[in-house]
Amino acid sequence: GRVQVMNRKGQDVTEYFEKGGEEALKIAKLYGCRYAILKERSPSCGSGIIYDGTFTGTRVPGDGATVEALKALNIRIFGESRLNELLALLEEEHA
């Protein structure tokens, strides 16, 4: 289902995260992006595992709002800890 994002005050800020994802998607389309490097575990940019929004450090399976938007365009997502994997892939493509 849909990722729900709450702030520390308990307010639902999901709409803002979804709008950010839509804007990222527009930019990705404009520039023909095939890959994205995003912040791991973020409720917006996390891929595979994200924070659950309780501000306790608890992680849950899932993708952030921006990741969901980009994956719909078949853009491959890499967290910052996987930067070397992406660099190797790009080197391979350009060899």
Side-chain angles (χ1 to χ4, degrees), residues 9-76:
K9 295 179 182 179
Q11 299 165 314
D12 186 345
V13 293
T14 306
E15 178 182 345
Y16 301 108
F17 279 72
E18 289 175 342
K19 284 182 181 179
E22 290 169 11
E23 290 301 312
L25 189 59
K26 287 179 190 176
I27 293 168
K29 284 180 181 179
L30 179 66
Y31 289 99
C33 294
R34 297 180 300 146
Y35 308 105
I37 302 168
L38 301 172
K39 181 67 182 161
E40 294 171 344
R41 296 178 289 284
S42 155
S44 177
C45 301
S47 178
I49 297 177
I50 57 174
Y51 289 115
D52 72 350
T54 62
F55 297 93
T56 61
T58 303
R59 300 171 193 163
V60 295
D63 290 333
T66 299
V67 169
E68 288 181 348
L70 295 176
K71 281 186 173 180
L73 250 190
N74 293 318
I75 293 175
R76 288 187 56 188

Short mmCIF file of all heavy atoms in Angstrom, two decimals, residues 9-76:
data_model
loop_
_atom_site.label_atom_id
_atom_site.label_comp_id
_atom_site.label_asym_id
_atom_site.label_seq_id
_atom_site.Cartn_x
_atom_site.Cartn_y
_atom_site.Cartn_z
N LYS A 9 4.98 15.63 15.42
CA LYS A 9 3.76 16.11 16.06
C LYS A 9 2.56 15.21 15.75
O LYS A 9 1.45 15.48 16.18
CB LYS A 9 3.45 17.53 15.60
CG LYS A 9 4.48 18.54 16.05
CD LYS A 9 4.15 19.92 15.54
CE LYS A 9 5.21 20.92 15.96
NZ LYS A 9 4.92 22.26 15.45
N GLY A 10 2.79 14.16 14.96
CA GLY A 10 1.72 13.24 14.61
C GLY A 10 0.89 13.69 13.42
O GLY A 10 -0.15 13.10 13.14
N GLN A 11 1.35 14.72 12.72
CA GLN A 11 0.62 15.21 11.56
C GLN A 11 1.00 14.38 10.33
O GLN A 11 2.18 14.08 10.13
CB GLN A 11 0.95 16.68 11.31
CG GLN A 11 0.57 17.58 12.46
CD GLN A 11 1.21 18.94 12.36
OE1 GLN A 11 2.41 19.05 12.08
NE2 GLN A 11 0.43 19.98 12.59
N ASP A 12 0.02 14.07 9.52
CA ASP A 12 0.26 13.32 8.29
C ASP A 12 0.83 14.27 7.24
O ASP A 12 0.17 15.21 6.82
CB ASP A 12 -1.05 12.71 7.80
CG ASP A 12 -0.89 11.80 6.60
OD1 ASP A 12 0.18 11.83 5.94
OD2 ASP A 12 -1.83 11.05 6.30
N VAL A 13 2.08 14.03 6.84
CA VAL A 13 2.75 14.86 5.84
C VAL A 13 3.00 14.09 4.55
O VAL A 13 3.83 14.48 3.73
CB VAL A 13 4.07 15.46 6.41
CG1 VAL A 13 3.78 16.44 7.53
CG2 VAL A 13 5.00 14.36 6.88
N THR A 14 2.28 13.00 4.38
CA THR A 14 2.44 12.13 3.22
C THR A 14 2.31 12.91 1.92
O THR A 14 3.10 12.69 0.98
CB THR A 14 1.40 10.99 3.25
OG1 THR A 14 1.50 10.31 4.50
CG2 THR A 14 1.60 10.02 2.10
N GLU A 15 1.35 13.80 1.85
CA GLU A 15 1.11 14.56 0.63
C GLU A 15 2.37 15.30 0.17
O GLU A 15 2.67 15.35 -1.02
CB GLU A 15 -0.03 15.57 0.86
CG GLU A 15 -0.33 16.44 -0.32
CD GLU A 15 -1.43 17.45 -0.03
OE1 GLU A 15 -2.15 17.31 0.98
OE2 GLU A 15 -1.56 18.39 -0.83
N TYR A 16 3.11 15.86 1.10
CA TYR A 16 4.32 16.60 0.75
C TYR A 16 5.40 15.67 0.19
O TYR A 16 6.12 16.02 -0.74
CB TYR A 16 4.85 17.38 1.96
CG TYR A 16 3.84 18.34 2.51
CD1 TYR A 16 3.21 18.10 3.72
CD2 TYR A 16 3.49 19.49 1.80
CE1 TYR A 16 2.27 18.98 4.23
CE2 TYR A 16 2.56 20.38 2.30
CZ TYR A 16 1.95 20.12 3.51
OH TYR A 16 1.02 20.99 4.00
N PHE A 17 5.51 14.50 0.78
CA PHE A 17 6.48 13.52 0.30
C PHE A 17 6.09 13.03 -1.09
O PHE A 17 6.94 12.85 -1.96
CB PHE A 17 6.59 12.35 1.28
CG PHE A 17 7.47 12.64 2.46
CD1 PHE A 17 7.06 13.50 3.45
CD2 PHE A 17 8.72 12.06 2.56
CE1 PHE A 17 7.88 13.78 4.53
CE2 PHE A 17 9.54 12.32 3.63
CZ PHE A 17 9.11 13.18 4.62
N GLU A 18 4.80 12.81 -1.31
CA GLU A 18 4.34 12.37 -2.63
C GLU A 18 4.59 13.45 -3.68
O GLU A 18 5.00 13.14 -4.80
CB GLU A 18 2.87 11.98 -2.57
CG GLU A 18 2.64 10.69 -1.82
CD GLU A 18 1.18 10.34 -1.63
OE1 GLU A 18 0.31 11.23 -1.78
OE2 GLU A 18 0.91 9.17 -1.32
N LYS A 19 4.36 14.71 -3.32
CA LYS A 19 4.63 15.80 -4.26
C LYS A 19 6.11 15.87 -4.58
O LYS A 19 6.49 16.12 -5.73
CB LYS A 19 4.14 17.13 -3.68
CG LYS A 19 2.64 17.29 -3.75
CD LYS A 19 2.20 18.64 -3.22
CE LYS A 19 0.68 18.75 -3.28
NZ LYS A 19 0.20 20.04 -2.75
N GLY A 20 6.95 15.64 -3.59
CA GLY A 20 8.40 15.61 -3.83
C GLY A 20 8.76 14.49 -4.79
O GLY A 20 9.60 14.67 -5.68
N GLY A 21 8.13 13.34 -4.62
CA GLY A 21 8.35 12.22 -5.54
C GLY A 21 7.92 12.54 -6.95
O GLY A 21 8.60 12.19 -7.92
N GLU A 22 6.80 13.23 -7.08
CA GLU A 22 6.31 13.62 -8.41
C GLU A 22 7.28 14.60 -9.07
O GLU A 22 7.53 14.50 -10.28
CB GLU A 22 4.92 14.26 -8.29
CG GLU A 22 3.84 13.27 -7.91
CD GLU A 22 2.53 13.95 -7.54
OE1 GLU A 22 2.38 15.17 -7.75
OE2 GLU A 22 1.64 13.24 -7.02
N GLU A 23 7.83 15.52 -8.30
CA GLU A 23 8.79 16.48 -8.86
C GLU A 23 10.09 15.77 -9.27
O GLU A 23 10.65 16.06 -10.33
CB GLU A 23 9.09 17.59 -7.85
CG GLU A 23 7.93 18.54 -7.64
CD GLU A 23 7.47 19.23 -8.92
OE1 GLU A 23 8.32 19.75 -9.66
OE2 GLU A 23 6.25 19.25 -9.16
N ALA A 24 10.53 14.83 -8.45
CA ALA A 24 11.72 14.05 -8.81
C ALA A 24 11.48 13.27 -10.09
O ALA A 24 12.36 13.17 -10.95
CB ALA A 24 12.10 13.10 -7.66
N LEU A 25 10.28 12.74 -10.24
CA LEU A 25 9.91 11.99 -11.43
C LEU A 25 9.94 12.88 -12.67
O LEU A 25 10.45 12.49 -13.72
CB LEU A 25 8.53 11.38 -11.25
CG LEU A 25 8.06 10.39 -12.29
CD1 LEU A 25 8.99 9.20 -12.39
CD2 LEU A 25 6.65 9.93 -11.96
N LYS A 26 9.43 14.10 -12.56
CA LYS A 26 9.47 15.04 -13.69
C LYS A 26 10.90 15.32 -14.11
O LYS A 26 11.21 15.32 -15.31
CB LYS A 26 8.80 16.35 -13.30
CG LYS A 26 7.31 16.30 -13.21
CD LYS A 26 6.76 17.66 -12.78
CE LYS A 26 5.29 17.58 -12.45
NZ LYS A 26 4.79 18.88 -11.95
N ILE A 27 11.77 15.53 -13.15
CA ILE A 27 13.18 15.82 -13.45
C ILE A 27 13.84 14.60 -14.08
O ILE A 27 14.59 14.71 -15.05
CB ILE A 27 13.92 16.27 -12.19
CG1 ILE A 27 13.38 17.63 -11.74
CG2 ILE A 27 15.42 16.35 -12.42
CD1 ILE A 27 13.81 18.06 -10.35
N ALA A 28 13.55 13.42 -13.53
CA ALA A 28 14.13 12.19 -14.08
C ALA A 28 13.70 11.98 -15.53
O ALA A 28 14.51 11.60 -16.38
CB ALA A 28 13.71 10.99 -13.22
N LYS A 29 12.43 12.25 -15.83
CA LYS A 29 11.94 12.12 -17.20
C LYS A 29 12.62 13.14 -18.11
O LYS A 29 13.03 12.82 -19.22
CB LYS A 29 10.42 12.35 -17.25
CG LYS A 29 9.60 11.21 -16.75
CD LYS A 29 8.12 11.55 -16.86
CE LYS A 29 7.24 10.44 -16.36
NZ LYS A 29 5.80 10.81 -16.44
N LEU A 30 12.73 14.37 -17.64
CA LEU A 30 13.32 15.45 -18.42
C LEU A 30 14.75 15.11 -18.84
O LEU A 30 15.15 15.36 -19.98
CB LEU A 30 13.31 16.75 -17.60
CG LEU A 30 13.91 17.98 -18.26
CD1 LEU A 30 13.08 18.41 -19.46
CD2 LEU A 30 14.00 19.11 -17.24
N TYR A 31 15.50 14.50 -17.94
CA TYR A 31 16.91 14.21 -18.22
C TYR A 31 17.17 12.76 -18.63
O TYR A 31 18.32 12.38 -18.84
CB TYR A 31 17.77 14.58 -17.01
CG TYR A 31 17.87 16.07 -16.83
CD1 TYR A 31 17.07 16.73 -15.91
CD2 TYR A 31 18.73 16.83 -17.63
CE1 TYR A 31 17.14 18.11 -15.77
CE2 TYR A 31 18.81 18.20 -17.48
CZ TYR A 31 18.00 18.83 -16.56
OH TYR A 31 18.08 20.19 -16.41
N GLY A 32 16.13 11.97 -18.75
CA GLY A 32 16.31 10.58 -19.19
C GLY A 32 17.10 9.74 -18.20
O GLY A 32 17.89 8.89 -18.60
N CYS A 33 16.88 9.95 -16.93
CA CYS A 33 17.63 9.22 -15.90
C CYS A 33 17.31 7.73 -15.93
O CYS A 33 16.17 7.33 -16.15
CB CYS A 33 17.29 9.77 -14.52
SG CYS A 33 17.84 11.45 -14.26
N ARG A 34 18.33 6.94 -15.71
CA ARG A 34 18.16 5.49 -15.61
C ARG A 34 18.48 4.98 -14.22
O ARG A 34 18.10 3.88 -13.85
CB ARG A 34 19.06 4.79 -16.63
CG ARG A 34 18.69 5.13 -18.07
CD ARG A 34 19.58 4.44 -19.07
NE ARG A 34 20.97 4.82 -18.85
CZ ARG A 34 22.02 4.01 -19.03
NH1 ARG A 34 21.84 2.79 -19.45
NH2 ARG A 34 23.24 4.44 -18.80
N TYR A 35 19.22 5.77 -13.45
CA TYR A 35 19.65 5.39 -12.11
C TYR A 35 19.46 6.57 -11.17
O TYR A 35 19.52 7.72 -11.59
CB TYR A 35 21.14 5.01 -12.10
CG TYR A 35 21.51 4.00 -13.15
CD1 TYR A 35 22.20 4.37 -14.29
CD2 TYR A 35 21.15 2.67 -13.01
CE1 TYR A 35 22.54 3.45 -15.26
CE2 TYR A 35 21.47 1.73 -13.98
CZ TYR A 35 22.17 2.13 -15.10
OH TYR A 35 22.49 1.21 -16.07
N ALA A 36 19.26 6.25 -9.89
CA ALA A 36 19.16 7.29 -8.87
C ALA A 36 19.91 6.84 -7.63
O ALA A 36 19.83 5.67 -7.25
CB ALA A 36 17.70 7.57 -8.53
N ILE A 37 20.64 7.76 -7.03
CA ILE A 37 21.30 7.52 -5.75
C ILE A 37 20.51 8.30 -4.71
O ILE A 37 20.41 9.53 -4.79
CB ILE A 37 22.77 8.00 -5.77
CG1 ILE A 37 23.54 7.32 -6.88
CG2 ILE A 37 23.41 7.75 -4.41
CD1 ILE A 37 24.89 7.94 -7.15
N LEU A 38 19.94 7.58 -3.75
CA LEU A 38 19.06 8.21 -2.78
C LEU A 38 19.44 7.81 -1.35
O LEU A 38 20.11 6.81 -1.14
CB LEU A 38 17.61 7.82 -3.06
CG LEU A 38 17.08 8.21 -4.44
CD1 LEU A 38 15.70 7.61 -4.68
CD2 LEU A 38 17.03 9.71 -4.60
N LYS A 39 18.98 8.59 -0.40
CA LYS A 39 19.27 8.36 1.02
C LYS A 39 18.56 7.12 1.52
O LYS A 39 17.34 6.99 1.43
CB LYS A 39 18.83 9.59 1.83
CG LYS A 39 19.09 9.48 3.30
CD LYS A 39 20.57 9.48 3.56
CE LYS A 39 20.86 9.33 5.04
NZ LYS A 39 22.21 8.89 5.28
N GLU A 40 19.33 6.22 2.08
CA GLU A 40 18.79 4.95 2.57
C GLU A 40 17.90 5.16 3.80
O GLU A 40 18.15 6.05 4.61
CB GLU A 40 19.92 3.99 2.90
CG GLU A 40 20.69 3.59 1.65
CD GLU A 40 21.97 2.82 1.95
OE1 GLU A 40 22.44 2.83 3.10
OE2 GLU A 40 22.50 2.23 1.00
N ARG A 41 16.88 4.34 3.89
CA ARG A 41 15.94 4.24 5.01
C ARG A 41 15.01 5.44 5.18
O ARG A 41 14.15 5.45 6.05
CB ARG A 41 16.69 3.94 6.32
CG ARG A 41 17.38 2.59 6.29
CD ARG A 41 18.16 2.29 7.52
NE ARG A 41 19.37 3.07 7.66
CZ ARG A 41 20.52 2.89 7.00
NH1 ARG A 41 20.59 1.93 6.11
NH2 ARG A 41 21.56 3.63 7.22
N SER A 42 15.14 6.44 4.34
CA SER A 42 14.26 7.61 4.40
C SER A 42 12.85 7.24 3.98
O SER A 42 12.67 6.43 3.07
CB SER A 42 14.82 8.68 3.45
OG SER A 42 13.83 9.57 3.02
N PRO A 43 11.82 7.84 4.60
CA PRO A 43 10.45 7.56 4.15
C PRO A 43 10.17 8.12 2.76
O PRO A 43 9.17 7.79 2.15
CB PRO A 43 9.56 8.25 5.19
CG PRO A 43 10.45 9.03 6.07
CD PRO A 43 11.87 8.68 5.78
N SER A 44 11.07 8.92 2.25
CA SER A 44 10.94 9.42 0.89
C SER A 44 11.83 8.65 -0.06
O SER A 44 11.41 8.23 -1.12
CB SER A 44 11.31 10.91 0.83
OG SER A 44 11.24 11.37 -0.49
N CYS A 45 13.08 8.46 0.32
CA CYS A 45 14.09 7.95 -0.60
C CYS A 45 14.57 6.53 -0.30
O CYS A 45 15.37 5.99 -1.04
CB CYS A 45 15.30 8.89 -0.60
SG CYS A 45 14.87 10.56 -1.10
N GLY A 46 14.13 5.95 0.78
CA GLY A 46 14.57 4.61 1.14
C GLY A 46 14.05 3.56 0.18
O GLY A 46 12.95 3.68 -0.36
N SER A 47 14.85 2.53 -0.03
CA SER A 47 14.48 1.45 -0.94
C SER A 47 14.66 0.11 -0.24
O SER A 47 15.76 -0.22 0.20
CB SER A 47 15.35 1.51 -2.19
OG SER A 47 15.05 0.45 -3.06
N GLY A 48 13.59 -0.64 -0.11
CA GLY A 48 13.65 -1.96 0.50
C GLY A 48 13.34 -1.93 1.98
O GLY A 48 12.56 -2.72 2.48
N ILE A 49 13.98 -1.00 2.70
CA ILE A 49 13.75 -0.85 4.14
C ILE A 49 13.70 0.64 4.44
O ILE A 49 14.57 1.40 4.02
CB ILE A 49 14.87 -1.52 4.97
CG1 ILE A 49 14.88 -3.02 4.71
CG2 ILE A 49 14.69 -1.22 6.45
CD1 ILE A 49 15.99 -3.76 5.43
N ILE A 50 12.65 1.06 5.18
CA ILE A 50 12.51 2.47 5.54
C ILE A 50 12.17 2.58 7.03
O ILE A 50 11.73 1.61 7.65
CB ILE A 50 11.41 3.16 4.71
CG1 ILE A 50 10.06 2.45 4.86
CG2 ILE A 50 11.81 3.23 3.25
CD1 ILE A 50 8.90 3.14 4.17
N TYR A 51 12.40 3.75 7.59
CA TYR A 51 11.99 4.00 8.97
C TYR A 51 10.47 4.01 9.04
O TYR A 51 9.80 4.47 8.12
CB TYR A 51 12.55 5.32 9.48
CG TYR A 51 14.03 5.27 9.72
CD1 TYR A 51 14.90 6.04 8.98
CD2 TYR A 51 14.56 4.43 10.70
CE1 TYR A 51 16.27 6.00 9.19
CE2 TYR A 51 15.93 4.38 10.92
CZ TYR A 51 16.77 5.16 10.16
OH TYR A 51 18.13 5.11 10.38
N ASP A 52 9.92 3.51 10.15
CA ASP A 52 8.47 3.36 10.26
C ASP A 52 7.73 4.64 10.64
O ASP A 52 6.51 4.65 10.69
CB ASP A 52 8.12 2.24 11.24
CG ASP A 52 8.38 2.60 12.69
OD1 ASP A 52 9.01 3.66 12.96
OD2 ASP A 52 7.96 1.82 13.57
N GLY A 53 8.44 5.71 10.90
CA GLY A 53 7.79 6.99 11.21
C GLY A 53 7.50 7.21 12.68
O GLY A 53 6.89 8.21 13.04
N THR A 54 7.95 6.32 13.55
CA THR A 54 7.72 6.48 14.98
C THR A 54 8.86 7.24 15.67
O THR A 54 8.77 7.53 16.85
CB THR A 54 7.57 5.12 15.68
OG1 THR A 54 8.79 4.38 15.52
CG2 THR A 54 6.40 4.32 15.13
N PHE A 55 9.90 7.55 14.92
CA PHE A 55 11.08 8.25 15.45
C PHE A 55 11.77 7.47 16.56
O PHE A 55 12.37 8.03 17.46
CB PHE A 55 10.73 9.68 15.91
CG PHE A 55 10.25 10.53 14.77
CD1 PHE A 55 8.90 10.63 14.48
CD2 PHE A 55 11.16 11.19 13.96
CE1 PHE A 55 8.45 11.40 13.41
CE2 PHE A 55 10.72 11.95 12.88
CZ PHE A 55 9.37 12.06 12.61
N THR A 56 11.68 6.12 16.44
CA THR A 56 12.36 5.25 17.40
C THR A 56 13.50 4.50 16.73
O THR A 56 14.16 3.69 17.38
CB THR A 56 11.37 4.22 17.98
OG1 THR A 56 10.86 3.42 16.90
CG2 THR A 56 10.22 4.88 18.72
N GLY A 57 13.71 4.75 15.45
CA GLY A 57 14.74 4.03 14.71
C GLY A 57 14.27 2.69 14.17
O GLY A 57 15.04 1.95 13.59
N THR A 58 12.98 2.38 14.36
CA THR A 58 12.42 1.12 13.89
C THR A 58 12.31 1.15 12.37
O THR A 58 11.82 2.11 11.79
CB THR A 58 11.03 0.89 14.50
OG1 THR A 58 11.15 0.91 15.92
CG2 THR A 58 10.45 -0.45 14.06
N ARG A 59 12.77 0.08 11.75
CA ARG A 59 12.73 -0.04 10.29
C ARG A 59 11.72 -1.09 9.88
O ARG A 59 11.52 -2.08 10.57
CB ARG A 59 14.11 -0.41 9.77
CG ARG A 59 15.16 0.60 10.12
CD ARG A 59 16.54 0.10 9.77
NE ARG A 59 17.54 0.95 10.39
CZ ARG A 59 18.79 0.60 10.54
NH1 ARG A 59 19.21 -0.57 10.11
NH2 ARG A 59 19.65 1.42 11.10
N VAL A 60 11.12 -0.86 8.71
CA VAL A 60 10.13 -1.79 8.18
C VAL A 60 10.40 -2.00 6.70
O VAL A 60 11.00 -1.15 6.04
CB VAL A 60 8.69 -1.25 8.37
CG1 VAL A 60 8.33 -1.15 9.84
CG2 VAL A 60 8.51 0.09 7.69
N PRO A 61 9.97 -3.14 6.14
CA PRO A 61 10.13 -3.35 4.70
C PRO A 61 9.28 -2.35 3.92
O PRO A 61 8.17 -2.02 4.34
CB PRO A 61 9.62 -4.77 4.48
CG PRO A 61 9.49 -5.39 5.82
CD PRO A 61 9.37 -4.27 6.81
N GLY A 62 9.81 -1.87 2.82
CA GLY A 62 9.04 -0.97 1.97
C GLY A 62 9.91 0.02 1.24
O GLY A 62 11.12 0.09 1.46
N ASP A 63 9.29 0.78 0.37
CA ASP A 63 9.96 1.83 -0.40
C ASP A 63 9.36 3.17 -0.04
O ASP A 63 8.17 3.28 0.23
CB ASP A 63 9.78 1.60 -1.90
CG ASP A 63 10.54 0.40 -2.42
OD1 ASP A 63 11.57 0.04 -1.83
OD2 ASP A 63 10.10 -0.18 -3.43
N GLY A 64 10.19 4.21 -0.08
CA GLY A 64 9.72 5.56 0.15
C GLY A 64 8.92 6.09 -1.04
O GLY A 64 8.90 5.50 -2.12
N ALA A 65 8.28 7.22 -0.82
CA ALA A 65 7.39 7.81 -1.83
C ALA A 65 8.13 8.13 -3.12
O ALA A 65 7.63 7.86 -4.22
CB ALA A 65 6.73 9.06 -1.26
N THR A 66 9.32 8.71 -3.03
CA THR A 66 10.08 9.05 -4.24
C THR A 66 10.54 7.80 -4.96
O THR A 66 10.49 7.72 -6.19
CB THR A 66 11.28 9.96 -3.88
OG1 THR A 66 10.77 11.18 -3.31
CG2 THR A 66 12.13 10.28 -5.09
N VAL A 67 10.96 6.81 -4.20
CA VAL A 67 11.40 5.55 -4.80
C VAL A 67 10.26 4.90 -5.58
O VAL A 67 10.46 4.43 -6.70
CB VAL A 67 11.96 4.59 -3.73
CG1 VAL A 67 12.19 3.20 -4.29
CG2 VAL A 67 13.25 5.15 -3.16
N GLU A 68 9.07 4.89 -5.01
CA GLU A 68 7.93 4.30 -5.70
C GLU A 68 7.69 5.00 -7.04
O GLU A 68 7.45 4.35 -8.05
CB GLU A 68 6.68 4.37 -4.83
CG GLU A 68 6.71 3.41 -3.67
CD GLU A 68 5.46 3.48 -2.82
OE1 GLU A 68 4.66 4.41 -2.97
OE2 GLU A 68 5.28 2.57 -1.99
N ALA A 69 7.78 6.33 -7.03
CA ALA A 69 7.56 7.08 -8.27
C ALA A 69 8.63 6.76 -9.31
O ALA A 69 8.33 6.54 -10.49
CB ALA A 69 7.54 8.58 -7.97
N LEU A 70 9.88 6.72 -8.89
CA LEU A 70 10.98 6.46 -9.83
C LEU A 70 10.96 5.02 -10.34
O LEU A 70 11.24 4.78 -11.52
CB LEU A 70 12.32 6.79 -9.17
CG LEU A 70 12.54 8.26 -8.83
CD1 LEU A 70 13.87 8.44 -8.10
CD2 LEU A 70 12.49 9.14 -10.06
N LYS A 71 10.64 4.07 -9.48
CA LYS A 71 10.57 2.68 -9.92
C LYS A 71 9.48 2.48 -10.98
O LYS A 71 9.61 1.62 -11.84
CB LYS A 71 10.34 1.74 -8.74
CG LYS A 71 11.59 1.46 -7.94
CD LYS A 71 11.32 0.42 -6.87
CE LYS A 71 12.58 -0.02 -6.17
NZ LYS A 71 12.30 -1.04 -5.13
N ALA A 72 8.43 3.28 -10.91
CA ALA A 72 7.36 3.19 -11.91
C ALA A 72 7.89 3.53 -13.30
O ALA A 72 7.32 3.12 -14.31
CB ALA A 72 6.21 4.12 -11.54
N LEU A 73 9.01 4.26 -13.37
CA LEU A 73 9.66 4.62 -14.64
C LEU A 73 10.82 3.67 -14.95
O LEU A 73 11.60 3.93 -15.85
CB LEU A 73 10.25 6.04 -14.53
CG LEU A 73 9.62 7.16 -15.29
CD1 LEU A 73 10.48 8.39 -15.23
CD2 LEU A 73 9.23 6.83 -16.69
N ASN A 74 10.92 2.60 -14.17
CA ASN A 74 12.01 1.62 -14.32
C ASN A 74 13.39 2.23 -14.06
O ASN A 74 14.38 1.79 -14.65
CB ASN A 74 11.96 0.93 -15.68
CG ASN A 74 10.75 0.06 -15.80
OD1 ASN A 74 10.39 -0.66 -14.87
ND2 ASN A 74 10.09 0.12 -16.94
N ILE A 75 13.46 3.21 -13.19
CA ILE A 75 14.74 3.78 -12.78
C ILE A 75 15.27 2.91 -11.65
O ILE A 75 14.56 2.62 -10.68
CB ILE A 75 14.57 5.24 -12.33
CG1 ILE A 75 14.18 6.09 -13.54
CG2 ILE A 75 15.85 5.76 -11.68
CD1 ILE A 75 13.86 7.52 -13.22
N ARG A 76 16.51 2.47 -11.79
CA ARG A 76 17.13 1.64 -10.76
C ARG A 76 17.61 2.52 -9.61
O ARG A 76 18.25 3.55 -9.82
CB ARG A 76 18.29 0.84 -11.33
CG ARG A 76 17.79 -0.28 -12.24
CD ARG A 76 18.86 -1.20 -12.70
NE ARG A 76 19.60 -1.80 -11.60
CZ ARG A 76 20.70 -2.53 -11.77
NH1 ARG A 76 21.17 -2.73 -12.98
NH2 ARG A 76 21.33 -3.06 -10.75
#
